[in-house]
Amino acid sequence: MVSTAFVGLARNQARVLGMPDMPMVQLQHPVGGTQLDSVLAKVDASLDELLSKLASPPISTVAAVSAVSATRSEWIEFDTSDEWGSLQTDFAARGWSDGMLMAPPTEMRVAAMVAGSGLPPEKIIGELAPKMGVATVERIAANAVMAGCRPEHMPILVAAVQIMSDPTFFLKNIQATTHPVSPLLIVGGPLAKTLNINSGSGAFGPGPWANGVIGRAIRLMLLNIGGGKPGEIDKATLGHPGKYTYCIAENEAASPWPSLRAERGFAADVSTVTMYGGEAPHNINDHESTTAGGLLTTITGSIAQIGQNSVECFAEMLVVLSPEHAATIAADGFTKDDVKRAIYEDARVPMSRFAQKNIERRLWRLLPLRYRDRPMDTMVAMVQRWEDVIVIVAGGEGKHSMYLPGYGSTRALTRPILSGDGSPWR
Amino acid sequence: MKLCSPEGNALPTTNMTLVDRPKSLEGLRIGLLDNTKPPVDKIMAHLEQRLRERIPGARPFYISKRIMTQPAGSAVMESLRQNVDVVINAIGD
């Protein structure tokens, strides 16, 4: 049974899982969050079809995909005489476009981009869900060209594709959910400065730095290789601006604590990519506090909101502290883990503040050990474990920090940025 | 001019052969797989009632995934393999 708005996604998943002929019955969307009587009426209206499809052979609609087309790039003839006009329309017609001007992936440009990786063009780096499109070096390069990247950005994109292909990252869910989540690419280490990736003022944008094109290349790969077509496969109800481009660097020089990559065991001279599935940044403004206690009151108070996914599941949360906020907190002897624990312990909302249906249908049902049969003044945590809070330092001068609520089961993963020979790229 | 397609196709998957469909549902074990997305539990309970009304000898078998955002997992799949002849699942919102 499929709600009508999700038929494309259901067909895609059936095909990817090797069951393209899976019989389906459609129920008119929406099903969730509506009066139960109307939902059950939809079920009754579909009952004959449901019973019939359970007891009749499926109709085959399968078209085979050859191994060559899955790994070898396709080169297509275009009229490129009008690069800013008809060519852009042609790109959009093929579903390749994010709506902004794209550079044509010519043989020369793609070859230069491939060379930037130090890897052979047909090498398979990973498969991107939900389409499970094969990301060869050359296809990564084609998307990078279209996004406006430079060849030296390729090792970052290769590391990012490796992470997004890891089942632990749950890209399938990130690509398809109604939740506004997008992979945020966080660069750590000395390469951030070398490659002109902003970690300072306005790290989330805008600016002339490389953040924009690197993040855009990620999005184009999610669209073109992963098949995350907005509205059809990418079912985000509203999405967020970071789904166009979402890339920052950690401001390690301004951090009083070990960097994220150091926490994860990487050496000082090894630069890394971390991918985090997150919402848009939410601001935390505190211009007055001069102590860790004061600042953490504002930070935890800002984070304590009932409408975030991590309230009801084991999701992570990314907190991006400004250098000035981080310095104030660290000056009072707080470690990064102390900040994480404070957020877990103190960013809470009494259960009585939640809507009754959400208490019954979400908190009690999904986290029964924590909340079922508990009094209404039970404090509901924003994450389920303190270790699920990720803290980095970024940004420039000023008294604003940010937090990015996470999504479901995805886990932020970190990989080194490597040269073509497999050694860390320095 | 030739341009490189940025699209990626999937590697060929070995399509699984769906089991032969029964000619009739009478007396069969009919699985109802709850994906934990509200209100699917109520939908499945309603279906269970309807199956009992409509199909002589039908034996509905209800089972739930553990986590909404993750696949059903081997324990659920094994249970379905052992306990049902056909299964009804749901996707959507």
Side-chain angles (χ1 to χ4, degrees):
Chain A
M1 291 187 295
V2 191
S3 69
T4 47
F6 289 80
V7 170
L9 182 60
R11 287 268 171 237
N12 174 284
Q13 281 304 286
R15 188 170 61 246
V16 167
L17 293 170
M19 297 175 283
D21 298 326
M22 174 67 73
M24 293 179 192
V25 174
Q26 298 182 26
L27 302 187
Q28 185 62 44
H29 187 83
V31 173
T34 57
Q35 293 297 326
L36 188 60
D37 287 352
S38 74
V39 175
L40 298 184
K42 291 176 186 178
V43 174
D44 283 339
S46 302
L47 193 59
D48 286 340
E49 184 187 2
L50 178 67
L51 299 181
S52 163
K53 286 190 170 174
L54 277 174
S56 57
I59 298 162
S60 180
T61 55
V62 191
V65 178
S66 76
V68 172
S69 67
T71 56
R72 186 170 294 167
S73 299
E74 187 181 5
W75 291 83
I76 300 169
E77 190 69 37
F78 283 90
D79 176 0
T80 56
S81 59
D82 183 11
E83 280 194 9
W84 288 16
S86 62
L87 184 60
Q88 301 296 324
T89 306
D90 290 345
F91 289 163
R94 288 178 175 273
W96 295 353
S97 176
D98 61 1
M100 295 182 278
L101 200 62
M102 309 176 85
T106 62
E107 188 174 353
M108 192 171 73
R109 288 171 180 160
V110 172
M113 200 65 74
V114 167
S117 73
L119 297 167
E122 291 188 14
K123 182 178 175 60
I124 295 174
I125 302 302
E127 296 168 82
L128 297 184
K131 182 178 163 187
M132 300 313 287
V134 174
T136 61
V137 170
E138 196 163 58
R139 288 191 182 131
I140 295 172
N143 283 284
V145 168
M146 296 178 96
C149 285
R150 300 177 60 83
E152 58 266 32
H153 300 151
M154 276 295 285
I156 291 174
L157 301 180
V158 167
V161 168
Q162 288 172 325
I163 290 172
M164 294 191 294
S165 301
D166 188 320
T168 313
F169 192 66
F170 277 93
L171 181 63
K172 180 173 74 177
N173 303 42
I174 290 174
Q175 285 262 68
T177 180
T178 51
H179 179 257
V181 55
S182 184
L184 168 68
L185 195 159
I186 306 167
V187 178
L191 279 177
K193 189 171 184 185
T194 308
L195 297 177
N196 199 30
I197 301 165
N198 188 21
S199 67
S201 295
F204 279 106
W209 298 282
N211 306 45
V213 291
I214 292 171
R216 187 186 185 202
I218 298 294
R219 175 50 51 187
L220 291 182
M221 287 193 285
L222 293 175
L223 173 68
N224 292 320
I225 303 176
K229 188 176 179 184
E232 182 181 321
I233 301 296
D234 177 349
K235 296 299 295 180
T237 306
L238 284 160
H240 73 73
K243 294 188 81 160
Y244 282 103
T245 178
Y246 214 20
C247 169
I248 61 168
E250 186 172 7
N251 193 343
E252 297 178 1
S255 175
W257 299 304
S259 65
L260 179 59
R261 67 193 171 98
E263 283 184 275
R264 297 182 170 209
F266 292 93
D269 62 345
V270 175
S271 296
T272 60
V273 166
T274 299
M275 301 295 282
Y276 168 77
E279 293 183 10
H282 302 219
N283 195 47
I284 302 168
N285 161 31
D286 189 336
H287 280 70
E288 302 298 340
S289 296
T290 55
T291 63
L295 270 176
L296 286 169
T297 297
T298 302
I299 290 167
T300 57
S302 302
I303 290 172
Q305 299 186 56
I306 62 174
Q308 50 197 319
N309 280 23
S310 55
V311 163
E312 63 191 45
C313 65
F314 285 81
E316 294 177 317
M317 174 184 291
L318 175 64
V319 178
V320 183
L321 294 177
S322 69
E324 292 175 20
H325 278 173
T328 299
I329 295 169
D332 278 352
F334 279 63
T335 66
K336 201 189 260 191
D337 282 355
D338 292 333
V339 175
K340 297 176 185 180
R341 287 191 181 93
I343 289 168
Y344 170 67
E345 294 289 346
D346 298 333
R348 298 194 176 200
V349 179
M351 191 148 59
S352 58
R353 290 274 307 280
F354 286 71
Q356 188 61 30
K357 286 279 187 188
N358 283 328
I359 295 172
E360 295 170 6
R361 306 284 304 157
R362 296 285 169 140
L363 297 180
W364 289 356
R365 185 158 180 255
L366 301 177
L367 296 167
L369 297 179
R370 278 176 177 265
Y371 301 119
R372 196 184 289 275
D373 301 325
R374 299 296 171 90
M376 292 300 281
D377 60 357
T378 299
M379 299 300 283
V380 176
M382 298 296 109
V383 288
Q384 309 308 323
R385 306 176 306 184
W386 70 266
E387 298 94 331
D388 290 335
V389 180
I390 301 166
V391 174
I392 65 171
V393 173
E397 299 81 5
K399 312 289 187 191
H400 297 276
S401 292
M402 288 181 153
Y403 87 104
L404 288 66
Y407 161 75
S409 302
T410 178
R411 283 289 172 274
L413 301 176
T414 302
R415 288 187 68 95
I417 301 171
L418 302 177
S419 305
D421 64 6
S423 63
W425 188 32
R426 296 182 169 91
Chain B
M1 182 185 290
K2 285 199 167 179
L3 302 177
C4 184
S5 166
E7 290 190 81
N9 289 326
L11 289 166
T13 49
T14 305
N15 285 336
M16 287 178 265
T17 306
L18 299 175
V19 293
D20 288 339
R21 299 272 148 165
K23 290 191 170 52
S24 161
L25 297 174
E26 283 189 30
L28 293 190
R29 303 169 301 171
I30 303 174
L32 299 163
L33 175 56
D34 181 339
N35 66 359
T36 79
K37 200 119 188 172
V40 73
D41 54 339
K42 291 188 165 55
I43 291 175
M44 292 303 185
H46 183 73
L47 267 177
E48 181 172 347
Q49 182 190 335
R50 288 283 185 265
L51 290 172
R52 290 187 193 282
E53 291 167 2
R54 291 278 301 268
I55 302 170
R59 288 174 287 162
F61 176 82
Y62 172 88
I63 192 166
S64 179
K65 279 185 12 169
R66 199 169 66 82
I67 299 173
M68 184 189 296
T69 56
Q70 294 187 12
S74 56
V76 170
M77 297 308 286
E78 182 58 27
S79 178
L80 285 172
R81 206 167 65 84
Q82 290 185 6
N83 292 298
V84 308
D85 300 300
V86 293
V87 65
I88 299 169
N89 187 21
I91 183 170
D93 222 334

